[in-house]
Amino acid sequence: MKIKFNWGTGIVIAFGLFMTFILYFVVEVQSNSKYDNDLVVDEYYKHDARFGEEMKRTQNAQDLGEKPKVVVTQSGVQIIFPSAFVPNKIKGIVSLYRPSNKKLDFEIPISISEPTLLIPNKSLVGGRWDINMEWQYDGKSYLTKETIYIR
């Protein structure tokens, strides 16, 4: 028995090999824990529902004459709050998100006696960090977002 090999047979074999190749990589990415494919934010839809409130807090921060500054120094990341505010009345949380690795994310409560908050270098690895500062002062809520790069 002789098998005929023509263009049609070649296309079907190539298509089958391509589908096998793609399915192999889909299964590999889904089953291997090395490829983390979680959402950046847990409970994404709950987070999305609070978007209007978040926009109001962001606008409050934009309306400030002097805005908080994020400065990368030799000792770490320094957050400098406006000098018009009394430091010990500022309360909130600074969240640091690492887009490439969720396991490195952490939060620091804002409890300061000076207008600066220092996040030491030992807590940070090199690369991109997204910083969200959610804070309150005199009953008004603020939200500031920054992106920094650590070398």
Side-chain angles (χ1 to χ4, degrees), residues 21-78:
F21 174 74
I22 295 298
L23 286 174
Y24 166 74
F25 280 108
V26 168
V27 170
E28 179 69 21
V29 167
Q30 293 298 322
S31 63
N32 194 337
S33 62
K34 176 172 90 171
Y35 303 108
D36 189 16
N37 54 5
D38 291 333
L39 291 173
V40 173
V41 178
D42 288 333
E43 299 178 352
Y44 175 78
Y45 293 106
K46 286 183 184 177
H47 184 268
D48 195 40
R50 298 185 350 209
F51 185 71
E53 176 187 321
E54 186 177 306
M55 289 304 296
K56 183 178 179 186
R57 291 182 292 153
T58 302
Q59 188 61 50
N60 288 343
Q62 288 295 320
D63 292 342
L64 290 173
E66 182 183 356
K67 297 168 186 47
K69 295 178 196 145
V70 178
V71 180
V72 180
T73 64
Q74 292 291 344
S75 54
V77 175
Q78 193 173 31

Side-chain angles (χ1 to χ4, degrees), residues 49-114:
R50 298 185 350 209
F51 185 71
E53 176 187 321
E54 186 177 306
M55 289 304 296
K56 183 178 179 186
R57 291 182 292 153
T58 302
Q59 188 61 50
N60 288 343
Q62 288 295 320
D63 292 342
L64 290 173
E66 182 183 356
K67 297 168 186 47
K69 295 178 196 145
V70 178
V71 180
V72 180
T73 64
Q74 292 291 344
S75 54
V77 175
Q78 193 173 31
I79 299 172
I80 305 166
F81 287 94
S83 58
F85 292 168
V86 177
N88 61 358
K89 289 187 176 183
I90 300 171
K91 300 295 176 208
I93 293 177
V94 176
S95 304
L96 287 99
Y97 297 106
R98 179 67 183 220
S100 63
N101 189 347
K102 180 180 172 182
K103 295 176 181 104
L104 296 175
D105 296 353
F106 65 97
E107 293 182 340
I108 295 176
I110 300 172
S111 181
I112 53 177
S113 58
E114 296 180 18

